[in-house]
């Protein structure tokens, strides 16, 4: 009788263990079947982000969107927000539907070569230190371009009429995509007494990303006037206007500048 009881208990234990093993096996199958199927959030491109385009510009253009994807489809380094690349630019073209990776954004200077946005041209201008904001302009900087010159207008009879010297805005906002090395050149000026003075003037070549019309303006201004850059920040507001000439600097009735 006792032996039968022991055998019954052993049988029950074996049955219980078998049931537990079956349950664990089934759970394992379910876990393997659902592995990687959980949904996660990721930041993607909703429109083409051009090479050299800043994160801020892309964000203003509505080119980022968040999506829910399976965790198995998540690319290593994919972002869920733009907070870590706010001040960066795209180092290559990013196409709609691509996950946003931190490795695809950086400073313009991070690239091996000149990063030119897909719809832009690269135009270079040689400026002295004061004209390039004392060296504070770097790749990725946003600048306004001004020119100072003596404009003229073509009259109906075909002759040119010289206008007073003026300084005015040429381009309200363009991106600097390259800064060359600084070189020193000699500049000769003549004093009021007629003496010639030779100065050593440092100058640097800066490269801008512009469209065709802007390129034409920059090239013409660089060859025919004096060009200056003004460094912009995120809150700077620049607007076009008639510019400034001598009459705007001197009170009415006071003699002119010498």
């Amino acid at each position: 009788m006792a032996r039968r009881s022991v055998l019954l208990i052993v049988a029950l234990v074996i049955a219980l263990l078998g049931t537990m093993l079956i349950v664990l096996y089934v759970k394992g199958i379910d876990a393997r079947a659902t592995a990687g199927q959980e949904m996660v959030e990721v930041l993607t491109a909703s429109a083409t982000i051009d090479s050299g385009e800043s994160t801020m510009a892309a964000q203003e253009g509505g080119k980022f969107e968040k999506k829910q994807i399976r965790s198995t489809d998540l690319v290593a380094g994919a972002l869920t927000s733009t907070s870590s690349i706010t001040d960066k630019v795209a180092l290559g073209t990013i196409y709609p539907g691509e996950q946003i990776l931190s490795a695809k954004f950086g400073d313009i200077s991070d690239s091996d070569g000149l990063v030119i946005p897909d719809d832009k041209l690269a135009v270079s201008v040689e400026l002295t230190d004061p004209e390039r904001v004392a060296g504070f302009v770097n790749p990725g900087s946003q600048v306004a371009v001004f020119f100072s010159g003596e404009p003229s207008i073509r009259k109906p009879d075909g002759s040119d009429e010289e206008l007073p010297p003026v300084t005015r805005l040429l381009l309200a906002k363009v991106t600097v995509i390259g800064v060359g090395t600084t070189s020193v050149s000699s500049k000769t000026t003549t004093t009021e007494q007629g003496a010639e003075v030779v100065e050593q003037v440092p100058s640097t070549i800066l490269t801008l990303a512009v469209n065709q019309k802007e390129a034409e303006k920059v090239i013409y201004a660089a060859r025919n006037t004096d060009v200056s850059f003004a460094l912009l920040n995120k809150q700077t507001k620049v607007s076009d206007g008639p510019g400034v000439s001598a009459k705007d600097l001197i009170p009415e009735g006071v003699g002119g500048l010498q």
Side-chain angles (χ1 to χ4, degrees):
M1 184 69 178
R3 184 177 179 181
R4 290 180 61 187
S5 299
V6 170
L7 291 175
L8 182 59
I9 292 172
V10 171
L12 290 173
V13 171
I14 292 173
L16 181 61
L17 289 174
T19 302
M20 291 178 61
L21 290 173
I22 292 173
V23 171
L24 291 174
Y25 177 72
V26 171
K27 285 185 175 180
I29 293 175
D30 290 341
R32 289 191 295 272
T34 59
Q37 300 303 309
E38 60 271 18
M39 304 301 289
V40 295
E41 189 175 73
V42 67
L43 192 66
T44 65
S46 59
T48 300
I49 300 174
D50 298 322
S51 176
E53 185 173 357
S54 68
T55 300
M56 184 177 298
Q59 199 158 21
E60 290 175 351
K63 296 185 178 183
F64 294 112
E65 68 176 351
K66 292 183 178 181
K67 281 188 175 181
Q68 294 286 329
I69 64 171
R70 296 179 304 174
S71 60
T72 53
D73 296 329
L74 186 66
V75 179
L79 302 175
T80 57
S81 73
T82 60
S83 59
S84 63
I85 57 171
T86 301
D87 299 323
K88 306 298 183 181
V89 299
L91 299 178
T93 302
I94 300 173
Y95 296 97
E98 279 193 57
Q99 296 179 31
I100 303 301
L101 309 179
S102 57
K104 289 194 174 184
F105 287 80
D107 298 324
I108 289 180
S109 56
D110 290 341
S111 61
D112 295 332
L114 193 64
V115 178
I116 306 173
D118 291 344
D119 60 341
K120 299 291 184 180
L121 308 172
V123 174
S124 295
V125 182
E126 187 172 15
L127 302 176
T128 63
D129 281 356
E131 294 165 347
R132 65 183 187 100
V133 200
F136 288 103
V137 175
N138 298 302
S141 295
Q142 300 285 331
V143 299
V145 182
F146 292 83
F147 74 93
S148 299
E150 299 179 7
S152 62
I153 58 172
R154 182 62 54 88
K155 299 171 68 174
D157 60 5
S159 62
D160 291 330
E161 178 184 353
E162 297 296 329
L163 300 178
V166 66
T167 295
R168 68 174 297 175
L169 182 69
L170 181 68
L171 300 175
K173 184 178 182 181
V174 290
T175 302
V176 177
I177 58 175
V179 176
T181 57
T182 299
S183 59
V184 178
S185 58
S186 298
K187 179 180 179 181
T188 302
T189 58
T190 304
T191 65
E192 293 182 357
Q193 291 74 31
E196 291 188 346
V197 178
V198 178
E199 297 178 279
Q200 299 299 314
V201 181
S203 59
T204 303
I205 295 178
L206 294 96
T207 303
L208 303 172
V210 294
N211 59 35
Q212 180 180 338
K213 188 64 177 178
E214 292 169 336
E216 293 168 353
K217 290 182 177 181
V218 170
I219 293 170
Y220 183 87
R223 293 183 178 181
N224 296 278
T225 69
D226 294 323
V227 174
S228 298
F229 287 1
L231 190 59
L232 308 177
N233 62 29
K234 296 177 182 178
Q235 287 75 41
T236 304
K237 302 207 179 286
V238 181
S239 58
D240 195 13
V244 174
S245 60
K247 65 181 178 62
D248 299 301
L249 303 180
I250 306 168
E252 189 173 349
V254 178
L257 295 175
Q258 298 296 320

